[in-house]
Amino acid sequence: MRTILFFDLPTLTLKHKRSYRKFLKAIKAEGFIMLQESVYAKLSISYAQSQLVKKRISDSLPDEGLVFALNITEKQFNDLEILVGENNTSILNDDERLVEL
């Protein structure tokens, strides 16, 4: 299962920029990887784990802006097509428990 975050946060004032940086730091600490600007995804083992991640993220939400969370299955995520651009394969994004380098 994947949890995908979509967000649109204001960055006009210094306070907004601080909130934005704090939110980005929190979602990266949770293991989210960037799909594109303002779209991040995280692999979860189960629906319960994805709910727990969303609960922890909700503690770091900024006061203003929009943040959406969407859960999709791994099969649905694998149907994702890149229409323009290239896939960055340097990011380890796998459901394997152990990755040997």
Side-chain angles (χ1 to χ4, degrees):
M1 170 163 285
R2 300 277 175 149
T3 301
I4 302 177
L5 290 180
F6 306 89
F7 54 90
D8 186 17
L9 303 176
T11 56
L12 299 174
T13 66
L14 190 58
K15 180 183 174 191
H16 290 152
K17 290 177 185 177
R18 283 187 191 130
S19 295
Y20 179 82
R21 286 191 304 266
K22 179 183 173 193
F23 180 70
L24 274 184
K25 186 177 179 181
I27 65 174
K28 287 178 182 178
E30 282 293 333
F32 282 86
I33 59 168
M34 184 171 70
L35 296 179
Q36 68 181 50
E37 192 172 336
S38 298
V39 180
Y40 283 73
K42 176 182 174 39
L43 179 67
S44 297
I45 301 301
S46 66
Y47 182 76
Q49 183 188 18
S50 70
Q51 293 299 100
L52 183 62
V53 167
K54 284 194 280 187
K55 184 176 181 334
R56 286 194 305 254
I57 291 294
S58 67
D59 296 337
S60 303
L61 289 175
D63 296 331
E64 298 179 51
L66 293 171
V67 179
F68 297 99
L70 174 68
N71 285 331
I72 61 173
T73 65
E74 197 61 24
K75 183 175 179 349
Q76 290 169 326
F77 186 78
N78 287 331
D79 287 340
L80 181 71
E81 290 184 49
I82 299 173
L83 300 177
V84 174
E86 296 179 10
N87 188 13
N88 186 356
T89 58
S90 65
I91 298 173
L92 294 176
N93 188 20
D94 199 345
D95 59 354
E96 295 280 328
R97 288 287 188 167
L98 174 66
V99 177
E100 292 183 29
L101 300 176

